[in-house]
Amino acid sequence: MFTGIVEEVGRVSGLHDYRFVIDAKKVLSDVKIGDSISVNGACLTVVEFDDRSFTVDLAPETLRRTSLGETGPGSAVNLERALSASDRMGGHIVQGHVDGTGAITGLAPEADCYIMEIESPEALVPYIVEKGFIAVDGISLTVVQRTQRRFTISVIPFTMQNTNLHEKSVGDRVNLEADILAKYVESLLQSRLG
């Protein structure tokens, strides 16, 4: 489990079949084989590491469900270590189970922030609510507004500078994870109401 508070931006330094090598610093400070690290919102398992990088395997399902297959050498990726029991819950409950990808359809300045518009897959729309949480490339963000297929988020300067969002532009795909609470509520209602 994660919080959606990005610890650092790493760089993909190698691609080998279904493996990524990612250069990092902070997330390596206490890493062990088998640890979970969120990479652009996808929970991945560390299979190798050294003092400057770690390696993760990518399952075909991960490549189908996320935008990681479009990530090449030099790409910036958001990194977060799994939450420990004593950590503060700064964002929201993020599982690292990407629901699908969306496309950035707009990016406009507003005061010192940016309003980013994202087109969502139709299946995710019921779980996206105004002032609710959504993880975008693993970043815990609040939905400003939602229309039929699109939603907007307001990105503060700190988030823009300390995540991979500063390298994104209109047309880029991002990983989306809807709030788990909405999915559980739907499942409970379906089982009770038939």
Side-chain angles (χ1 to χ4, degrees):
M1 184 171 84
F2 307 93
T3 66
I5 304 299
V6 174
E7 292 184 88
E8 75 174 301
V9 176
R11 293 272 172 195
V12 175
S13 60
L15 300 169
H16 311 285
D17 296 321
Y18 288 95
R19 284 197 156 187
F20 267 8
V21 179
I22 300 168
D23 290 344
K25 292 177 186 164
K26 188 170 186 177
V27 299
L28 295 174
S29 66
D30 60 354
V31 73
K32 298 180 295 300
I33 299 295
D35 279 356
S36 295
I37 295 180
S38 171
V39 178
N40 276 2
C43 178
L44 300 175
T45 303
V46 175
V47 295
E48 293 176 11
F49 69 91
D50 58 31
D51 61 345
R52 59 181 176 75
S53 66
F54 67 96
T55 302
V56 293
D57 289 328
L58 298 170
E61 171 65 4
T62 302
L63 294 172
R64 281 191 297 271
R65 190 69 75 136
T66 71
S67 63
L68 291 175
E70 300 166 10
T71 304
S75 295
V77 289
N78 295 324
L79 303 176
E80 180 189 358
R81 291 171 287 189
L83 182 67
S84 75
S86 64
D87 287 343
R88 290 186 179 174
M89 188 67 167
H92 73 282
I93 297 170
V94 177
Q95 293 184 295
H97 302 163
V98 174
D99 293 307
T101 62
I104 298 172
T105 54
L107 184 62
E110 182 180 60
D112 62 345
C113 299
Y114 286 89
I115 297 295
M116 183 177 285
E117 182 184 65
I118 299 171
E119 185 170 16
S120 170
E122 191 173 342
L124 287 183
V125 171
Y127 308 113
I128 301 171
V129 297
E130 288 185 17
K131 306 305 176 226
F133 290 116
I134 190 156
V136 177
D137 266 359
I139 309 162
S140 176
L141 294 161
T142 303
V143 175
V144 173
Q145 188 176 41
R146 189 197 90 188
T147 60
Q148 206 158 11
R149 285 287 303 277
R150 295 179 181 188
F151 66 93
T152 58
I153 52 176
S154 181
V155 183
I156 63 171
F158 181 87
T159 302
M160 186 63 83
Q161 294 161 6
N162 291 282
T163 68
N164 69 351
L165 291 183
H166 68 275
E167 295 189 18
K168 298 286 184 181
S169 57
V170 171
D172 287 348
R173 287 191 332 137
V174 289
N175 294 326
L176 302 176
E177 181 184 332
D179 189 355
I180 186 63
L181 296 177
K183 293 184 262 186
Y184 277 124
V185 168
E186 179 188 55
S187 179
L188 287 168
L189 287 174
Q190 283 179 346
S191 66
R192 303 232 175 183
L193 300 177

